[in-house]
Structures are given as structure tokens and as C-alpha cells.
């Protein structure tokens, strides 16, 4: 965060100053008083269960020098009508100031799936080039985004932002705070369909990342997704596309996937699509991903295209992509247990697209000689399509020849029904009511050689099972405890 006086914070937010105007804030801007550091600005947000204002005094005692609040408090504060809006205004102001001073570039990522993976990849591609700010976790909404922006300072060269939307207008709000120089749109899919009310509404909402570009900004679009490719029509300026089809500017060719579920491909760049395609060997380089699952090719191509456009040389892009690892937990996190069982923990979240992708990876990793086990819970937020979507996943499980399906929880029941109707029989499909029952069943069932996928929406709590399964097996005879 750049250093600001209380007076400047008040001016940026249109707030009323109730503090010494010369008081300085320079520490991190925080909404959680436990994260306060000396010089922090504490943002007192009203929460569902707690009110940030109740923690303001504690935050100041811990070192915060100023509080952004909706009412007068007994500590130095700037009082505004709406704290969340003021937080956005402050971020907008700070970013505009930083842009005037230096050569900061803003890269934003949106899409129905893959945002966090892609922003983590971008971080790994850009960091060697210069100071890079990347959001913590999935910070992608009207609070997490401005907090991320406020982490930037004079030394920041690249500000990577994840932008999420659960309705039309959300991305416009975020791009007004941080207009991107490069906007990356991954896929328009079925995540959060219930909230949006239809896939065309999702497409419209995601296109706001393109219409919200900064002047002279570049749209990086997925050529393989027709709804994303169509966003070229609303791009204010240059468009660069990525994908597997021949028309893509940055293309993945000769795609293969190995038995560990990792994809490799040749990254070929059409001359002109990169900021500097003349460095290194020119136009193509081989990439082997460290991430598990063929679906990550889309995310990797998106990150590569944005990085190329920002001036990273192709050989560096290829090398760094091959070295990149998953940085956020519970996303295709693979554990080889000492007892010979492989656990794929993808329990961070789930929707039909990511379920399909994870199940395909499971099938590839199990191959012909290992037993595949899918432990699946509910996909939330699907609205009226929910029943059919779960049923479809059950049928896919059977078609992929998954040997054991464990369906966890009432809400996921449709997966069990779909599998049963598609021809699964006997002990191949089991339904259990909750995580505890799943855990007990798997303790009995799992044996050496099994490949187990755990996946559900975050709210269904299957990540607890993911953690448990990944940690288990260390007591096996001959187990490696180092
Ligand atoms: N291109 C893709 N196609 C299908 N599934 C994907 C793709 N990219 C990521 N996934 C899967 O989707 C899940 C979420 O990935 P990630 O966290 O990167 O997405 P996100 O867009 O940030 O999600 P959220 O909206 O929850 O923030 C993971 O299970 C991941 O393996
Ligand atoms: Mg995310």
C-alpha cells in the first residue's frame, strides 16, 4: 500500500475526517482486525454475523492508525455513508495514482471456472519479470478485489486480479475500480447458473470484463469457447485469441496427456500476437504442465497469452508454465500415499464443467490397471437445472468406467440415480448420507493401487474428507514416514 494521510483517505472516499489530517496510513488495508499491522487502515465492514465497528478499538490498539467507518467512533476515523463503496473508491484512487507514477500493468481474469488457477499461473509467469501482486486465495469480489488493489505500491509492475461475477453489472463495478490493460476471459459455463438465470446472462456478465478495459487495453479471449470468442465484437481495441483451433492466435498443438494426468502441448504463437515474438527461437515451444488435468490447458494457454502480450519471451513462458504448480489447495491436489493409494483432492468447488474435467482426469490416471474411485458430493447453485446436471454426472461416471462411485449427501442423490439408470449395478454405486459415513466406507473399501477422486461444491464439506484421505495411509506396513 502506498502511504496516504488521513486527509487523502477522506478526500478519496468523500468521507468526513474525524482524525488528525496528517495521520499516516502505510500498512496493509485490512477488514479482519487479526491481520492488522502497524500503520494499517482498518475497514469496518458490517458482516452477516459480526459488525466490524465492534473491532475498531481493538484494531487501533493493535497498530491501525485509521479506521474507515460508517459512524463516528472513539478512534481516529474517516466516516462514510457506505464502507464497501468507500473501499472501492479508495482502491480506484490509489490505482489511478500509481498508474500516473509508473509503468504498472493490470491483468484481470474472469470465467466460470479456472480463474484462481489462471491468476496463480500468471503470478508464476510474471514474477520473474518484476514485482507482481496476486490476489490471496479467491479474492475476487467487491471486497477482495479492492483489498488486492491496495496491496500494490510504487514498486509494483504487474497487478494480477481475479474478477468474479454472480450477476450482470458485477464486473462493471470491479473494472471501474481497476480498469484492466489486459482482460482474460476463460470460459462461459454453467457455474452459478442459478444465480444468473441462464447461460446467455452469464455470457453478458462476463463480457463486461472486455467492455471495461482501460483505453488501449487488450482482450485475451478463448477461441475454443464460442460465447467467449464472440466477445471480440464488444472489445474496444485489440483482441488476441488462444485455444486449440487453427484460427487461434496462440495455439496449443500436439496435445497429449500422460499417466499422471499431466498435459503437454506445443505452444505456437502467430507472429504479431506476442509483444515480442522475435526473442528466443521465435514462434513455438513445448510445454509440459505440472498441473493435473487436461482442462488446465485452457488456463495455461490463457495465462501464456496474457504474459506474451505483456512482453514475456516465449521460451520463458514455456519454461515457467512447465515449472508452475498449483498454489491454492484442494484443486486437483494429488497425493501419492505410502500405502499405494493415489488421492486426487478437487474438493475446493464443483460445477458440471469442473466435474467432467476431474472425472476425465481420474479415468486417465487410473488407466486400465488401477481401480478408479469417485467420491462425489453436491454441486450447489445450479438452480432449476440441478437435478438434470447431477443425473448427467452419474451417467458420465458409468461411461468413463469408474469402478466405484460413492455419492455423498441427499443433494447429490441425482448422481446416484443417473449412474444406476445408465447401467451401474450392485456395489458399483453407493449412496451415503454424509462425510462421516463416506469416510467409514472408504476406510473399509480402499486398497493398494486405487486412484480416488474427491469432489463437490465447497459448501458440502467434502474437503474434510479430502484432507483426511490425503493424510491417511502413512501407517501402512512399509509406509514411508519421512
Ligand atoms: N478450464 C476448466 N475446465 C473445467 N474445470 C476447470 C477448469 N479450470 C479449473 N477447473 C476446475 O474448477 C475448479 C475451480 O477452479 P478455480 O478455483 O481455478 O476456479 P475459479 O473460477 O477461481 O472458481 P471460483 O468461482 O470458485 O472462484 C477446480 O476443481 C478446477 O480443477
Ligand atoms: Mg476463484
Amino acid at each position: 500500500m502506498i502511504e496516504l494521510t488521513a486527509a487523502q483517505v477522506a478526500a478519496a472516499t468523500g468521507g468526513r475526517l474525524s482524525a488528525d489530517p496528517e495521520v499516516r496510513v502505510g500498512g496493509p488495508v485490512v477488514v479482519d482486525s487479526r491481520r492488522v499491522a502497524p500503520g494499517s487502515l482498518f475497514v469496518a465492514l458490517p458482516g452477516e454475523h459480526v459488525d466490524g465497528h465492534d473491532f475498531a478499538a481493538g484494531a487501533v490498539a493493535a497498530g491501525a492508525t485509521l479506521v474507515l467507518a460508517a459512524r463516528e467512533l472513539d478512534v481516529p476515523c474517516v466516516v462514510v455513508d457506505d464502507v464497501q463503496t468507500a473501499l472501492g473508491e479508495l482502491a480506484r484512487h490509489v490505482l489511478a495514482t500509481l498508474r500516473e507514477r509508473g509503468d504498472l500493468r493490470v491483468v484481470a481474469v474472469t470465467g466460470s471456472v479456472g480463474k484462481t488457477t489462471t491468476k496463480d499461473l500468471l503470478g508464476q509467469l510474471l514474477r520473474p519479470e518484476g514485482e507482481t501482486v496476486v490476489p490471496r486465495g479467491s479474492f475476487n469480489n467487491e471486497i477482495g478485489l479492492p483489498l488486492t488493489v491496495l496491496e500494490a505500491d510504487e514498486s509494483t509492475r504487474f497487478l494480477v486480479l481475479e474478477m468474479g461475477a454472480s450477476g450482470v453489472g458485477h464486473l462493471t463495478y470491479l473494472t471501474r475500480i481497476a480498469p484492466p490493460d489486459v482482460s482474460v476471459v476463460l470460459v462461459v459455463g454453467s457455474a452459478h447458473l442459478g444465480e444468473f438465470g441462464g447461460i446467455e446472462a452469464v455470457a453478458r456478465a462476463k463480457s463486461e470484463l472486455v467492455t471495461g478495459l482501460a483505453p488501449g487495453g487488450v482482450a485475451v479471449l478463448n477461441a475454443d469457447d464460442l460465447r467467449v470468442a464472440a466477445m471480440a465484437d464488444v472489445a474496444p481495441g485489440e483482441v488476441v485469441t488462444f485455444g486449440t483451433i487453427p484460427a487461434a492466435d496462440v495455439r496449443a498443438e500436439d496435445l497429449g496427456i500422460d499417466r499422471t494426468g499431466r498435459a503437454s502441448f506445443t505452444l505456437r504463437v502467430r507472429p504479431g500476437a506476442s509483444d515480442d515474438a522475435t526473442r528466443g527461437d521465435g514462434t513455438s515451444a513445448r510445454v509440459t504442465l505440472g498441473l493435473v488435468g487436461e482442462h488446465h490447458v485452457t488456463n495455461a494457454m490463457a495465462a501464456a497469452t496474457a504474459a506474451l502480450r505483456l512482453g514475456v519471451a516465449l521460451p520463458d513462458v514455456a519454461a515457467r508454465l512447465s515449472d508452475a504448480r498449483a498454489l491454492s489447495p484442494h484443486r486437483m491436489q494429488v497425493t501419492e500415499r505410502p500405502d499405494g493409494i493415489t488421492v486426487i483432492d478437487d474438493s475446493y468447488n464443483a460445477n458440471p464443467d469442473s466435474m467432467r474435467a476431474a472425472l476425465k482426469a481420474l479415468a486417465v490416471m487410473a488407466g486400465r490397471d488401477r481401480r478408479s474411485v469417485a467420491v462425489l458430493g453436491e454441486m450447489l447453485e445450479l438452480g432449476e437445472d440441478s437435478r438434470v446436471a447431477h443425473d448427467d454426472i452419474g451417467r458420465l461416471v458409468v461411461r468413463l468406467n469408474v469402478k466405484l462411485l460413492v455419492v455423498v449427501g441427499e443433494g447429490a442423490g441425482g448422481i446416484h440415480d443417473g449412474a444406476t439408470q445408465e447401467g451401474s449395478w450392485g456395489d458399483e454405486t453407493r449412496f451415503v448420507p454424509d462425510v462421516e459415513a463416506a469416510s467409514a466406507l472408504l476406510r473399509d473399501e480402499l486398497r493398494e493401487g486405487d486412484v480416488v477422486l474427491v469432489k463437490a461444491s465447497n459448501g458440502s464439506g467434502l474437503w474434510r474428507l479430502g484432507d483426511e484421505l490425503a493424510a491417511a495411509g502413512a501407517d501402512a506396513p512399509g509406509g514411508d514416514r519421512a
Side-chain angles (χ1 to χ4, degrees):
M1 152 96 178
I2 60 174
E3 197 174 75
L4 294 171
T5 63
Q8 286 172 318
V9 173
T13 57
R16 192 159 40 77
L17 191 60
S18 176
D20 173 354
E22 292 306 316
V23 160
R24 282 169 193 279
V25 290
V29 180
V30 297
V31 295
D32 179 342
S33 58
R34 289 165 300 187
R35 301 189 79 99
V36 164
S40 271
L41 171 66
F42 176 66
V43 180
L45 282 171
E48 249 174 67
H49 306 292
V50 289
D51 182 356
H53 293 81
D54 297 340
F55 297 89
V60 171
T65 45
L66 190 68
V67 177
L68 192 60
R71 59 173 190 268
E72 200 80 37
L73 297 166
D74 286 336
V75 291
C77 57
V78 168
V79 182
V80 294
D81 291 340
D82 183 87
V83 176
Q84 186 183 298
T85 309
L87 174 64
E89 280 303 305
L90 183 64
R92 197 175 62 78
H93 168 82
V94 166
L95 182 56
T97 309
L98 283 173
R99 277 199 205 266
E100 272 168 29
R101 287 192 204 166
D103 61 349
L104 174 71
R105 312 285 293 275
V106 178
V107 195
V109 180
T110 199
S112 299
V113 278
K115 297 181 290 296
T116 295
T117 307
T118 303
K119 67 89 181 158
D120 284 338
L121 287 173
L122 265 168
Q124 293 173 80
L125 292 178
L126 295 174
R127 254 196 202 108
E129 306 289 313
E131 288 288 320
T132 303
V133 169
V134 180
R136 277 187 288 131
S138 231
F139 271 25
N140 68 17
N141 65 9
E142 60 286 352
I143 297 163
L145 178 116
L147 287 176
T148 306
V149 170
L150 288 165
E151 282 180 30
D153 63 21
E154 292 84 351
S155 66
T156 308
R157 290 259 329 270
F158 301 105
L159 173 59
V160 178
L161 296 171
E162 174 171 340
M163 294 201 186
S166 47
V168 170
H170 292 186
L171 291 182
T172 296
Y173 180 84
L174 299 179
T175 55
R176 279 197 187 128
I177 295 171
D181 298 299
V182 178
S183 281
V184 180
V185 187
L186 298 168
V187 282
V188 169
S190 39
H192 315 288
L193 254 193
E195 288 169 52
F196 277 99
I199 199 144
E200 294 310 326
V202 179
R204 222 172 326 120
K206 302 288 179 204
S207 73
E208 292 170 21
L209 193 73
V210 175
T211 51
L213 273 162
V218 182
V220 171
L221 302 176
N222 183 357
D224 293 338
D225 183 313
L226 292 179
R227 291 188 182 86
V228 176
M231 292 177 196
D233 294 344
V234 296
E238 195 189 338
V239 174
V240 186
T241 60
F242 63 91
T244 56
I245 62 169
D249 296 321
V250 180
R251 191 177 167 209
E253 293 176 349
D254 302 325
L255 199 83
I257 185 154
D258 71 15
R259 282 294 301 274
T260 67
R262 288 165 174 91
S264 54
F265 54 91
T266 299
L267 184 60
R268 185 172 299 282
V269 183
R270 186 192 304 287
S274 146
D275 209 30
D276 186 2
T278 54
R279 280 196 276 167
D281 76 341
T283 58
S284 79
R286 192 77 189 159
V287 174
T288 302
L289 293 180
L291 302 179
V292 173
E294 193 181 356
H295 55 294
H296 286 311
V297 173
T298 304
N299 303 329
M301 291 295 292
T305 306
L308 287 164
R309 207 60 202 74
L310 288 164
V312 185
L314 180 60
D316 293 333
V317 168
R320 289 173 202 166
L321 269 185
S322 300
D323 288 341
R325 295 292 174 266
L327 298 182
S328 302
H330 301 295
R331 288 169 180 80
M332 298 301 284
Q333 198 175 313
V334 177
T335 305
E336 300 290 352
R337 285 176 21 175
D339 58 359
I341 293 170
T342 301
V343 178
I344 312 168
D345 176 4
D346 199 33
S347 60
Y348 164 70
N349 223 342
N351 58 59
D353 299 323
S354 69
M355 271 286 189
R356 276 192 288 275
L359 284 166
K360 280 186 202 153
L362 169 67
V364 168
M365 288 171 72
R368 283 167 198 266
D369 34 279
R370 300 184 69 182
R371 185 169 75 141
S372 49
V373 181
V375 185
L376 307 181
E378 183 174 7
M379 301 178 282
L380 300 168
E381 299 173 4
L382 293 180
E384 60 187 22
D385 298 329
S386 177
R387 192 79 201 168
V388 175
H390 283 90
D391 188 280
D392 282 349
I393 293 299
R395 292 172 193 274
L396 178 65
V397 167
V398 177
R399 285 202 298 278
L400 288 172
N401 205 13
V402 171
K403 295 293 187 303
L404 173 64
L405 168 66
V406 179
V407 178
V408 188
E410 202 59 50
I415 300 178
H416 182 67
D417 298 343
T420 311
Q421 277 163 24
E422 188 76 12
S424 176
W425 48 273
D427 283 346
E428 287 176 338
T429 300
R430 312 276 192 87
F431 174 82
V432 291
D434 52 33
V435 170
E436 284 66 36
S439 170
L441 185 141
L442 291 166
R443 263 197 304 274
D444 282 349
E445 253 317 314
L446 293 184
R447 53 177 193 255
E448 189 180 347
D450 286 353
V451 185
V452 192
L453 168 72
V454 182
K455 188 159 176 73
S457 280
N458 197 278
S460 57
L462 252 70
W463 51 269
R464 284 186 282 134
L465 191 61
D467 283 341
E468 186 185 310
L469 285 176
D475 296 329
D480 178 1
R481 292 171 143 257

